Amino acid sequence: MVFGVPAILFSIDMRDSVALLRQTGKELQALRAVEGLLGWDQETYMPRRGGTARAESQAALSTVLHEKLTSDAFWGLIQDAAAQPKLSDRDKAMVREFRSDAEKARKIPSDLAADLARTGSLSQQAWSKARSRNAASEFLPWLEKMIVLKRREAECLGYEEKPYDALLDQFEPGSKVSAVKPVLEGLRDGLTPLARRILEKRGRRSTPPVWLDREFPMRIQRRFNKALLHDMGFDLEAGRLDESAHPFTQGLFSGDVRLTTRYSEHDWLTAVFSTLHEGGHGLYEQGLPEEDWGTPLAEAVSLSVHESQSRFWENRVGRSRPYWERYLLVAKEHFGVALEGVTVEDVLTQVTAVKPSFIRVESDEVTYNLHIVLRFELEEAIFSGALEVGGIAEAWNAGMEKLLGIRPGSDAEGFLQDVHWSCGLYGYFPTYAMGNLYAAQIAATIERETGSLDAKIRKGEFAPIREWLRDRIHRHGREIPGPELLRRATGGDLKPEYFLKYLEGKYL
Ligand code: MG
């Protein structure tokens, strides 16, 4: 028996071995959806004291999943399917991706997997405490432990050039330092002088305007944000919008995509941009092919491509003049007197303000990527052995000064600010910057092929934009590797020039 499927099916012909693989994938995915739902619930509605029991449920489920994914039975099934002649291109891709997932999982010994999970969870708790008390020394031993474990993981996974490649590959399949580095260096070298010019021209961001101090009832904000999602084409019959401290998207199935946003009673724009961002992720999840559910063909191809979708809607659409020429009127219908006297210019000044910030998640779209460059440079140094744990804080501060011209006054606003390193997410940050670059490259292509984006945004005509994204990106799932998918969609390799040109046009 493999996952409840009678063994007799094994002896049948090729079509059935592919069908059996699909069936098994569906069963794995069904369990992953439960895992996703537990995680979503934890971040939204779970009572605070439910945490310990929830962690038990999640650990139990992830053990079952790991066992199934690494079982010899599943491996045999993949080999059988791969050996079949005359597979369609899509089936070939499906088998290739199933094999890649199983292969990676099988390379990690179960004691290391358990150690990563356990130490990662404890380390994250230690980080959270250390950050709130600005006590870096309490976190450093955990950071050291996690780096040792991740090094071991990289050795198990294997790499051709650098250990860090094995970590990058977990989020951005196939990517290597030797490919990512020139792109990020090009971005850094173009962005540093450009950011300086933009800051000189526009001056510093002033204090929040009075109108952001007025009352914007949550009840109305919820309705308004759902209206924005509906307009961009997110199907609220196949998804939800809820609230959480850190906004996220959890796709369980193309018919059940959960988004969260974060409301502030006064600054109603905070929620708008979280909603548009997650809405972009959500459209991708809803656009994955339903008929391939349970296979990699119905999964997002990479984190950077996912992020390109969210940043496209958040920044290219949402932080544009035509968007607010349209949606300030809609906002006034919702909020009434609270927005009296507020002009498009007022909103634009607010949503396109530029100012170097210590905190990545609070930074503007101009300086944001410099934060990513810093983290990439440090991660690369850590895993090449050039940077010791004890030197990270100073390397961080020096890097901030060099790239952004500001020096953090504390580790809490320095290297302790992000959760990623505490739980072992190394190689993750570069996908944020690549997502921004892809978004600009995609926007330029849509414009070239379908005409002015601004004209469509002004009229609220989002369908042609959405259809383009669906056709070129969403519906393919993991059939085509990320870089090739983007090459086909945009006609070229990932280049920082599109993004730099976009910023120049918008901000100078
Ligand atoms: Mg995102």
Side-chain angles (χ1 to χ4, degrees), residues 203-481:
R204 304 266 151 167
R205 177 161 46 186
S206 52
T207 44
V210 224
W211 54 270
L212 276 182
D213 223 26
R214 296 179 190 156
E215 207 73 24
F216 294 89
M218 299 294 193
R219 179 176 50 84
I220 302 179
Q221 286 198 49
R222 285 189 195 104
R223 215 167 53 211
F224 178 59
N225 278 271
K226 279 187 186 159
L228 298 181
L229 279 179
H230 170 80
D231 285 2
M232 67 192 272
F234 182 80
D235 180 359
L236 283 154
E237 300 274 300
R240 296 178 52 91
L241 178 66
D242 295 274
E243 291 155 49
S244 66
H246 304 282
F248 67 92
T249 295
Q250 178 72 60
L252 304 170
F253 175 52
S254 53
D256 188 354
V257 177
R258 314 284 174 110
L259 315 180
T260 69
T261 191
R262 174 173 48 192
Y263 297 105
S264 143
E265 206 133 1
H266 299 290
D267 186 352
W268 58 285
L269 289 166
T270 309
V272 167
F273 289 100
S274 296
T275 299
L276 292 178
H277 181 101
E278 302 309 328
H281 282 307
L283 281 181
Y284 190 0
E285 293 287 322
Q286 286 189 340
L288 292 165
E290 201 168 327
E291 65 278 12
D292 291 310
W293 187 66
T295 79
L297 299 177
E299 288 172 10
V301 71
S302 75
L303 277 187
S304 72
V305 174
H306 228 312
E307 193 69 6
S308 74
Q309 302 304 292
S310 57
R311 297 295 262 184
F312 173 82
W313 287 97
E314 178 195 352
N315 289 335
R316 179 60 186 87
V317 176
R319 288 183 209 276
S320 72
R321 177 176 295 272
Y323 191 79
W324 289 103
E325 282 171 357
R326 180 176 192 83
Y327 281 99
L328 180 58
L329 294 174
V330 181
K332 285 185 173 183
E333 280 166 24
H334 279 78
F335 296 114
V337 67
L339 283 176
E340 217 163 69
V342 177
T343 65
V344 171
E345 222 51 54
D346 291 335
V347 176
L348 276 177
T349 305
Q350 189 61 22
V351 305
T352 61
V354 180
K355 184 189 177 192
S357 148
F358 293 118
I359 306 297
R360 173 182 62 88
V361 296
E362 292 170 6
S363 63
D364 54 80
E365 63 175 328
V366 175
T367 57
Y368 181 92
N369 290 296
L370 293 171
H371 289 259
I372 303 304
V373 168
L374 172 65
R375 285 153 180 76
F376 172 75
E377 290 180 352
L378 296 180
E379 288 186 355
E380 201 214 341
I382 291 168
F383 286 96
S384 73
L387 178 61
E388 300 281 330
V389 167
I392 291 176
E394 178 46 34
W396 181 290
N397 295 343
M400 281 295 285
E401 207 159 6
K402 193 183 78 191
L403 291 165
L404 285 143
I406 52 174
R407 194 178 175 87
S410 71
D411 292 325
E413 54 182 22
F415 86 102
L416 287 180
Q417 66 182 268
D418 292 308
V419 65
H420 303 59
W421 288 351
S422 73
C423 50
L425 297 174
Y426 297 89
Y428 191 113
F429 284 118
T431 68
Y432 289 136
M434 288 161 73
N436 287 320
L437 301 188
Y438 276 140
Q441 196 157 327
I442 286 168
T445 313
I446 298 179
E447 191 135 62
R448 201 170 59 231
E449 293 183 5
T450 72
S452 165
L453 267 175
D454 282 351
K456 292 185 195 67
I457 296 170
R458 192 172 289 115
K459 285 186 273 183
E461 280 174 6
F462 298 121
I465 301 175
R466 195 174 58 247
E467 286 316 314
W468 191 99
L469 295 170
R470 192 147 283 182
D471 179 55
R472 302 295 183 88
I473 295 168
H474 305 170
R475 71 182 173 90
H476 298 283
R478 289 167 59 187
E479 181 184 359
I480 305 162

Side-chain angles (χ1 to χ4, degrees), residues 156-167:
C156 293
L157 289 167
Y159 49 86
E160 283 166 31
E161 294 165 15
K162 289 169 180 262
Y164 186 48
D165 292 344
L167 305 180

